[in-house]
Amino acid sequence: MTWVREMVAGDAAAVSAVRVAGWRAAYAGVIPGAYLDAMSVERDTALREERSAAGRAAGLRDLVAVGADGADGRVVGWACCGPRDTPGAGAGSGAGAGEGELYALYVRPDLLGRGVGRALLFAVHDEAAARGWGALVLWVVEANARARRFYEAAGYRADGGAQSEEYDGVPVREVRYRRAAGDSQSGPASPRSLR
């Protein structure tokens, strides 16, 4: 059973380990290998700790998944959501004051396909409902077919938004997905619990 709870200060290193491993697994062959190799759990942990208070003040919510596959309460996934970051969203983006954004969702690579990501996503949907957001948006690397299928199965649809981020001089295209409030929710048997 996977449980989802709010991230606490002591989770930063575990979240960073999940994030770095997730990047290396998901973006191999898409983002330059030198960039992925240079990622450091220690640097990412320091960044996460530094930004924690500012993120909470800005309305961000960090959630962690624990307990999957005999992990004995260890963090095996992480998601971050908050109010939609509308600056630079572009003309015709449809951005509204009542929208949320899923900023990150990562699962330990050896646990992909075991419900950890779904549990985190359903908890994000619950957060969106509690905050009254009319829609959730997210950005996904266009070449990440697995992630795109995952979000599409949860009711997200590409809405035509696109942007590029540069990694070691290589542009990587991202596409924007949107899910309206009330779209297919988690259902009664979803494995989640916010404590």
Side-chain angles (χ1 to χ4, degrees), residues 20 23-40 43 167-170 172:
V20 169
W23 268 67
R24 289 179 176 158
Y27 304 133
V30 176
I31 290 176
Y35 183 92
L36 296 174
D37 291 343
M39 292 182 78
S40 157
R43 279 193 309 274
Y167 300 92
D168 283 351
V170 175
V172 176

Side-chain angles (χ1 to χ4, degrees), residues 4-7 15 48 51-52 54-64 78-85 99-106 119-133 135-139 151 156 194:
V4 175
R5 62 170 170 78
E6 191 156 5
M7 182 178 160
V15 164
R48 218 129 305 292
R51 293 183 177 173
S52 179
R56 281 192 306 277
L60 298 186
R61 180 123 191 245
D62 288 294
L63 304 169
V64 294
W78 165 66
C80 178
C81 66
R84 172 120 186 249
D85 183 14
E99 291 186 345
E101 187 162 347
L102 174 60
Y103 290 101
L105 193 154
Y106 292 96
L120 282 164
L121 192 59
F122 297 156
V124 168
H125 293 170
D126 289 346
E127 181 74 10
R131 293 200 196 188
W133 293 332
L136 272 169
V137 297
L138 61 88
W139 291 92
Y151 292 122
Y156 290 82
L194 284 174

Side-chain angles (χ1 to χ4, degrees), residues 86-193:
T86 55
S93 68
E99 291 186 345
E101 187 162 347
L102 174 60
Y103 290 101
L105 193 154
Y106 292 96
V107 172
R108 211 173 74 190
D110 63 314
L111 295 177
L112 290 173
R114 297 194 186 177
V116 177
R118 278 192 313 272
L120 282 164
L121 192 59
F122 297 156
V124 168
H125 293 170
D126 289 346
E127 181 74 10
R131 293 200 196 188
W133 293 332
L136 272 169
V137 297
L138 61 88
W139 291 92
V140 62
V141 170
E142 187 174 44
N144 190 344
R146 182 182 189 130
R148 293 179 70 178
R149 285 191 305 271
F150 170 76
Y151 292 122
E152 288 166 0
Y156 290 82
R157 298 294 174 254
D159 70 0
Q163 65 185 12
S164 284
E165 295 284 333
E166 227 175 80
Y167 300 92
D168 283 351
V170 175
V172 176
R173 184 174 160 88
E174 298 176 334
V175 291
R176 188 177 56 217
Y177 274 63
R178 174 183 304 277
R179 179 186 179 279
D183 282 357
S184 59
Q185 282 288 327
S186 53
S190 65
R192 66 175 191 261
S193 172

